[in-house]
C-alpha cells in the first residue's frame, strides 16, 4: 500500500490544488490531504471550512481523505506512517519548495515529490484569488461554483481590504 500526503493551506482550494491531488491519487493507493491549521489569523476560511471544501472537492476519488494538522508536517507524516509528501510546483515555487522539501527530509527522512502544475492552472494561487475576489473581479474560472460563492460571501462579510 503506497501512501502520500498532499499538504497545504487551501485558503480557498482552487482547481490547481485539486488537479495536483487527483494526479497524486493516480500515483499512490492512498492520499491524505492535510490542511494546515497553524496559519496566520488573516486566513479567509477557518480550518474546518477548508476541510469541508476539500472533502466536497475530493469526494469522487476513493483513495483520498482529508485531515486537519497542526504543528510540524513531518510529525503528522510520522504519526500516520506516510513516507511521501506530494506538492504541486509552479514556476516561481522552486526556491521555497526545495528548502521545505530538504528541511523535511533532514528532520524526518520523509521525502517530497513535486507534481508540475498543469499549464492551465500555473498562474493560479489562493492569494491571487482572494485579492481578485476582494476587488470584485471574476474568480469563477479558478474555483468550484460553490467555493467561489463562499469566497465572494466571505470577503464581503469580512470586509477584507488589500
Ligand atoms: O499552501 P502552502 O502555503 O503551500 O502550505 C504550506 C504548508 C502548510 C504545507 C507548510 O507551511 C507546512 O508544512 N506547515 C506546517 C509547519 C511545518 O512543518 N513547518 C516546517 C516546514 S520545513
Amino acid at each position: 500500500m503506497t501512501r502520500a500526503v498532499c499538504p497545504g493551506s487551501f485558503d480557498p482550494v482552487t482547481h490547481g490544488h485539486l488537479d495536483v491531488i487527483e494526479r497524486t491519487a493516480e500515483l499512490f493507493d492512498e492520499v491524505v490531504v492535510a490542511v494546515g491549521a497553524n496559519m496566520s489569523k488573516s486566513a479567509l476560511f477557518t480550518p474546518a471550512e477548508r476541510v469541508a471544501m476539500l472533502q466536497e472537492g475530493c469526494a469522487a476519488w476513493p483513495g483520498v481523505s482529508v485531515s486537519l494538522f497542526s504543528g510540524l508536517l513531518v510529525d503528522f507524516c510520522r504519526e500516520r506512517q506516510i513516507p511521501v509528501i506530494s506538492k504541486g510546483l509552479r514556476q516561481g515555487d522552486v526556491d521555497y519548495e526545495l528548502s521545505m522539501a530538504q528541511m523535511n527530509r533532514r528532520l524526518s527522512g520523509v521525502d517530497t515529490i513535486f507534481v508540475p502544475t498543469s499549464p492551465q492552472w500555473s498562474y493560479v494561487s489562493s492569494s491571487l484569488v482572494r485579492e481578485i475576489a476582494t476587488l470584485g473581479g471574476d474568480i469563477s474560472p479558478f474555483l468550484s461554483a460553490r467555493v467561489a460563492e463562499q469566497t465572494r460571501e466571505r470577503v464581503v462579510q469580512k470586509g477584507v481590504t488589500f
Side-chain angles (χ1 to χ4, degrees), residues 25-75:
E26 286 165 9
L27 300 172
F28 293 86
D29 299 319
E30 205 181 302
V31 173
V32 179
V33 180
V35 180
N38 47 346
M39 292 171 54
S40 74
K41 291 205 178 78
S42 61
L44 197 56
F45 292 102
T46 65
E49 287 170 331
R50 287 180 271 132
V51 167
M53 286 172 179
L54 278 153
Q55 280 169 336
E56 215 169 293
C58 299
W61 306 319
V64 179
S65 61
V66 185
S67 286
L68 206 55
F69 81 100
S70 54
L72 287 175
L73 177 60
V74 292
D75 287 340

Side-chain angles (χ1 to χ4, degrees), residues 7-10 36 38 69 71-73 87 96-97 100 103-104:
S9 312
F10 307 109
N38 47 346
F69 81 100
L72 287 175
L73 177 60
K87 292 217 78 179
Y96 175 64
E97 291 295 343
M100 276 208 294
M103 181 59 84
N104 282 330

